[in-house]
Amino acid sequence: MKRAAIYLRVSSIDQHPETQFHDLEMMAQQRGLEIVQRYTDRITGTRARRPGLDEMMADARRHRFDVLLVWASDRLARSVRHFLEVLDELNHLGVEFISFREQLDTSGPLGRAVVVIIGAIAELERSLIVERVRAGMRRAKLEGRHIGRRPLNLDRAAVLRDRQRGLSLTEVAKAHRCSRGLVSKILKDARNVSSHEGLPPAYPQPQENRPPI
């Protein structure tokens, strides 16, 4: 007798997972499956982290059950891509997937074919989205519109002067309304230019940043 695990998910605390469990329990009995574990999430499907789902996948990796029963495919995954990722991992682990509402069973050739079709449709959808984005970018360029974030108009000489005055990286970044990483990059570029041209550094290195002697 194969060991079966049941995954249940409801979107709010006002909904009861027992309705889903009753249907899945009846299906397990009809198929001669032994229910060994039950996982429940009371959370919306769009959440990436779900304790019940994470625990179920961890137990699947430990080979604690052979079949996963869900009431509907959208109860398991938050998107088509996520659904295919979960199915692919379950398939590699040797765990069969059965959905009550769609009557999807990956243990048979028809169920596996349906999964392949779903994957092909998802891939087509991703390709269409990429093509629409590229078409929009081409149109924006033809119309002379800027694509992406506007370049930051920063006075690099003023950044070097402030650093030379002894201000810390954080203080310089706040003064010029930029990130601390950008300030570090400007200082590094200035040092590289000075070293290539054989000139002294563009600013003296503060005592606290000098390497210990």
Side-chain angles (χ1 to χ4, degrees):
M1 180 178 291
K2 292 184 177 181
R3 301 165 300 168
I6 290 179
Y7 176 74
L8 311 169
R9 183 182 66 79
V10 292
S11 300
S12 67
I13 59 176
D14 297 331
Q15 299 176 345
H16 300 285
E18 296 303 324
T19 303
Q20 300 177 20
F21 179 75
H22 175 72
D23 293 334
L24 296 176
E25 186 180 34
M26 293 292 294
M27 184 171 66
Q29 293 176 359
Q30 295 171 0
R31 293 173 177 259
L33 302 174
E34 177 190 4
I35 300 176
V36 296
Q37 189 57 274
R38 167 177 169 175
Y39 309 91
T40 305
D41 275 322
R42 297 177 181 270
I43 197 169
T44 59
T46 56
R47 295 289 183 89
R49 304 296 298 176
R50 286 182 269 169
L53 179 62
D54 295 340
E55 182 183 1
M56 184 271 293
M57 294 303 298
D59 286 347
R61 298 181 188 106
R62 300 186 186 103
H63 303 284
R64 293 184 175 177
F65 55 87
D66 309 305
V67 183
L68 176 63
L69 306 178
V70 300
W71 192 81
S73 299
D74 61 352
R75 300 291 91 187
L76 177 68
R78 63 183 183 273
S79 64
V80 175
R81 180 179 180 180
H82 184 218
F83 176 66
L84 293 174
E85 289 175 351
V86 173
L87 284 189
D88 184 63
E89 183 171 0
L90 292 176
N91 180 57
H92 282 84
L93 295 171
V95 177
E96 301 172 6
F97 172 82
I98 301 176
S99 175
F100 173 80
R101 187 176 66 183
E102 294 90 0
Q103 290 298 304
L104 178 62
D105 185 353
T106 60
S107 63
L110 181 59
R112 290 192 292 269
V114 171
V115 173
V116 172
I117 293 172
I118 294 175
I121 294 174
E123 182 65 28
L124 175 62
E125 182 182 10
R126 286 193 293 269
S127 299
L128 292 176
I129 292 174
V130 170
E131 182 58 33
R132 285 197 293 267
V133 171
R134 289 176 177 173
M137 293 176 66
R138 288 194 299 268
R139 178 181 176 183
K141 287 183 178 179
L142 292 174
E143 294 176 352
R145 288 184 291 170
H146 179 78
I147 299 175
R149 190 167 61 178
R150 295 285 179 181
L152 184 62
N153 186 15
L154 190 63
D155 189 347
R156 294 174 177 262
V159 171
L160 297 176
R161 287 195 301 269
D162 288 343
R163 182 60 172 161
Q164 188 175 1
R165 287 166 44 211
L167 297 181
S168 66
L169 295 179
T170 302
E171 291 171 340
V172 175
K174 288 183 178 180
H176 295 272
R177 296 183 179 181
C178 63
S179 67
R180 194 172 183 271
L182 180 57
V183 174
S184 299
K185 183 178 183 301
I186 293 174
L187 300 178
K188 181 179 179 181
D189 292 342
R191 285 196 298 268
N192 292 337
V193 171
S194 299
S195 61
H196 290 328
E197 295 180 355
L199 301 175
Y203 65 96
Q205 191 177 24
Q207 182 67 36
E208 63 272 17
N209 288 345
R210 292 178 184 172
I213 300 176

